[in-house]
Amino acid sequence: MQFGGESSEFSWIINLAFFAFIMLFSLYGQKIQMWQWLKQIESGLLELKRMFLESRQTAIDAFKNFGRPEDEVAGDLDRWLDYFTIMPVDLDPAGVIQRLDHLLDERRDRFEEFVGDLAPEADGKMRQNLENTLEVTQVMNLIFRVVRHYYILGKKYGSQIMIMQIQMQLPELLRIAKAYFQAMGAFSVGKPIGDGIGPLIVSKFARQYGATKEDYIDDLAREVGYYRVEVEGRTLFAVRATGPGGTVGKPGLAIENLVKQNSGDISRIITIDAALKLEGEELGRVSEGTGAAIGDPGPEKYAIEEVARKNGIPLEAIVVKEDEEAAVGIMQKELLNAIPEAIERIKASIVKRTETGNRVILAGIGNTIGIGL
Amino acid sequence: MGMISKIIGLIITGAGAVLLFWGMNSDPTYSFIWFLIGMIVMSIGFGLISGGKQPETPEPPPPTVTEIICDNLDCDFKELRDFEKGDYILKPIDATCPKCDGSMTIHGIYIIREKEEEIQI
């Protein structure tokens, strides 16, 4: 090629093209990049929309089997999809946990009422599973609407920073949405999910010491009960939410009540839950630490910490590491493989850090969908 | 957009490449023009080769299995079957163990998925 050769009658075309290229990209480079970003967001949005619509249809299919026609179910479901909860004011933080707890109770009541109206013929276990199905559909709807909002807003006002932020967060949002989308099938038919590993460990532990389904005492707090078993001369209260319907219950309140019932005479509280693993960490790795292993919006964790502080009870946490996809998705074999090690660690903790005759609380935190007593 | 379009695309790409290289060595006056024409023809050829991809069909969900184990500690009977609606972990099974006639319980329900390649450091 001979760009730099001797000038010819056509060299002015080359010079013009060169300057046109420079001008075009220096003046409109950002616009071209914005256009590219918008196209990427648009394609992500279409994917989010597809996942939301399919989730909605799965929810409708699940609800319509329990006494209401499809069109009525669809209408009521659409009305419910943007149900919201206003968080309590935190300008004056005093009492914010109690107020939040009150609002979450009210929200749960409304969910139960709505599922009862929409599926009048469903039994208790099925209603809990349908409640979970509804919540996943709501999440899918929320992600889609929020991304669409920023996409339209950014496009409308040509806001580069808004478009750039959403484009950069899109892969993460899509990953979360896909995890929930894949979990829809699990919730609608009652398959166990990764988050349920805590209650499962508690039940398997209690069964090792002779507990049965009939020994489960279901009167501690909303949808939470316990098995009372003797472990190496100690009395163990193995607390978990009722199952196999999908519920987390109110484990914080349950532990608080149990401590009160025993007049504060509890030597140790061990909580066991699923915890988010870092990338690169092994799925199903068991770790232990100090504190209350519970991932609620606040009130349940607060209740455990407060009752432990008031009564001077040591708090111990054992967690099974998993990513978000595994936590909301169908149970994986690696997580089940972690159960024997978790049980050994619980045993070791009880034997080493409590004495014969002591009373210990072991609480398995998580969603009990597909996990029997 | 099937195999024929890919073959046509390949031919056009080849023709574009010939034009491009010919342009590099031709008369200096016209070399830039031939070079540009070659590039355009090649990009049309590449477009035909890579265009018309079949839309990705969503993969079927991986199977979920139910693991049933005999309650008799001395018996090692274990059965894996497809998940059935109504199954849950720790559910007692109506059928008896074919090996020892003991009762059986569901001890696990899990998804069977291919392991994703992880970055090892």
Side-chain angles (χ1 to χ4, degrees):
Chain A
M1 205 162 54
Q2 297 163 24
F3 287 113
E6 60 202 55
S7 62
S8 72
E9 54 186 310
F10 291 106
S11 60
W12 64 274
I13 299 176
I14 299 163
N15 291 337
L16 199 66
F18 179 74
F19 284 111
F21 179 82
I22 298 290
M23 292 295 280
L24 184 78
F25 279 93
S26 55
L27 290 175
Y28 295 102
Q30 281 187 338
K31 292 252 177 213
I32 293 168
Q33 197 170 36
M34 282 255 286
W35 177 80
Q36 270 187 325
W37 284 341
L38 282 169
K39 283 284 156 201
Q40 284 166 6
I41 299 171
E42 210 174 284
S43 122
L45 252 178
L46 288 174
E47 179 69 5
L48 287 172
K49 189 178 181 180
R50 181 190 68 80
M51 288 193 281
F52 159 60
L53 290 177
E54 282 185 29
S55 306
R56 177 182 170 274
Q57 192 54 49
T58 310
I60 292 170
D61 291 343
F63 273 97
K64 74 180 182 189
N65 297 322
F66 299 99
R68 296 270 306 270
E70 185 168 349
D71 54 337
E72 279 183 29
V73 169
D76 282 359
L77 193 76
D78 288 340
R79 184 174 59 85
W80 191 259
L81 281 179
D82 47 7
Y83 183 83
F84 55 86
T85 307
I86 302 168
M87 288 294 117
V89 62
D90 55 3
L91 276 173
D92 175 12
V96 72
I97 292 285
Q98 286 77 12
R99 282 182 278 131
L100 178 60
D101 191 29
H102 174 66
L103 290 174
L104 293 175
D105 280 349
E106 176 61 20
R107 179 180 178 274
R108 213 169 290 151
D109 288 343
R110 287 291 305 275
F111 258 81
E112 280 178 10
E113 180 196 283
F114 177 73
V115 171
D117 288 349
L118 211 57
E121 290 169 14
D123 60 14
K125 175 193 156 193
M126 198 60 217
R127 279 189 191 185
Q128 286 174 331
N129 294 352
L130 288 173
E131 221 178 292
N132 286 181
T133 309
L134 189 65
E135 284 191 61
V136 174
T137 315
Q138 266 196 328
V139 170
M140 300 300 300
N141 180 34
L142 183 69
I143 296 175
F144 168 63
R145 282 190 300 132
V146 170
V147 175
R148 185 181 60 181
H149 165 76
Y150 284 110
Y151 167 75
I152 295 174
L153 210 60
K155 203 172 173 180
K156 204 186 233 176
Y157 298 109
S159 166
Q160 201 178 355
I161 193 145
M162 211 175 267
I163 293 165
M164 186 178 72
Q165 278 179 347
I166 202 83
Q167 189 269 345
M168 286 177 172
Q169 287 178 36
L170 198 62
E172 180 63 10
L173 289 168
L174 275 170
R175 197 181 63 80
I176 295 169
K178 271 182 189 159
Y180 278 96
F181 177 65
Q182 283 167 2
M184 267 305 277
F187 287 115
S188 59
V189 293
K191 291 178 185 173
I193 60 168
D195 184 50
I197 195 72
L200 180 58
I201 290 169
V202 163
S203 278
K204 290 215 168 185
F205 186 87
R207 282 185 174 225
Q208 279 195 3
Y209 289 92
T212 61
K213 186 184 171 187
E214 287 69 36
D215 296 329
Y216 183 79
I217 303 160
D218 188 13
D219 68 349
L220 215 46
R222 186 175 183 154
E223 292 168 350
V224 182
Y226 67 100
Y227 311 89
R228 185 187 172 125
V229 285
E230 292 300 313
V231 178
E232 313 287 337
R234 288 87 168 159
T235 302
L236 181 95
F237 301 99
V239 179
R240 57 157 280 184
T242 50
T247 183
V248 181
K250 296 197 70 173
L253 184 63
I255 291 172
E256 194 182 322
N257 288 342
L258 202 53
V259 174
K260 279 180 189 163
Q261 278 174 22
N262 287 277
S263 316
D265 184 20
I266 297 288
S267 304
R268 201 163 195 86
I269 297 172
I270 304 169
T271 46
I272 180 147
D273 194 8
L276 277 183
K277 77 177 184 77
L278 299 172
E279 282 301 321
E281 280 186 320
E282 189 189 338
L283 179 70
R285 184 186 164 89
V286 181
S287 297
E288 57 188 282
T290 300
I294 177 167
D296 79 312
E300 301 304 313
K301 194 172 185 176
Y302 177 82
I304 300 172
E305 288 172 351
E306 189 61 7
V307 78
R309 182 194 64 82
K310 273 185 186 164
N311 296 281
I313 307 167
L315 266 177
E316 188 169 340
I318 296 176
V319 296
V320 178
K321 298 281 188 83
E322 48 192 272
D323 53 27
E324 199 162 2
E325 202 181 330
V328 298
I330 302 168
M331 183 70 79
Q332 297 191 33
K333 182 73 174 152
E334 290 88 341
L335 298 176
L336 293 176
N337 290 344
I339 295 175
E341 193 192 334
I343 287 178
E344 280 311 310
R345 293 220 196 181
I346 296 167
K347 271 186 206 167
S349 166
I350 292 170
V351 171
K352 199 172 176 184
R353 294 178 205 110
T354 64
E355 288 164 12
T356 310
N358 281 170
R359 294 171 182 201
V360 181
I361 293 176
L362 169 70
I365 315 294
N367 191 317
T368 54
I369 191 164
I371 297 168
L373 291 168
Chain B
M1 301 284 267
M3 186 59 78
I4 298 168
S5 66
K6 291 201 186 303
I7 294 167
I8 296 171
L10 206 66
I11 294 165
I12 293 175
T13 308
V18 171
L19 281 175
L20 194 139
F21 284 104
W22 186 59
M24 283 180 175
N25 301 303
S26 66
D27 178 359
T29 316
Y30 298 104
S31 69
F32 183 68
I33 293 163
W34 284 120
F35 182 80
L36 269 182
I37 292 171
M39 289 272 276
I40 292 164
V41 172
M42 266 183 87
S43 56
I44 293 168
F46 278 131
L48 277 171
I49 292 169
S50 59
K53 274 187 188 167
Q54 295 292 320
E56 279 184 28
T57 47
E59 286 180 23
T64 306
V65 295
T66 298
E67 189 179 283
I68 300 163
I69 295 178
C70 177
D71 294 335
N72 181 357
L73 294 175
D74 298 326
C75 178
D76 60 352
F77 180 78
K78 187 171 145 182
E79 184 193 341
L80 276 183
R81 64 158 165 78
D82 286 339
F83 173 85
E84 288 169 11
K85 207 173 174 183
D87 282 356
Y88 59 85
I89 300 180
L90 302 179
K91 180 187 180 184
I93 296 288
D94 289 334
T96 53
C97 172
K99 232 174 156 179
C100 71
D101 266 352
S103 59
M104 297 196 294
T105 305
I106 295 177
H107 272 265
I109 293 171
Y110 54 88
I111 194 166
I112 293 182
R113 58 183 355 154
E114 281 176 27
K115 263 199 164 183
E116 283 174 23
E117 260 187 46
E118 284 189 11
I119 302 165
Q120 299 286 343
I121 293 178

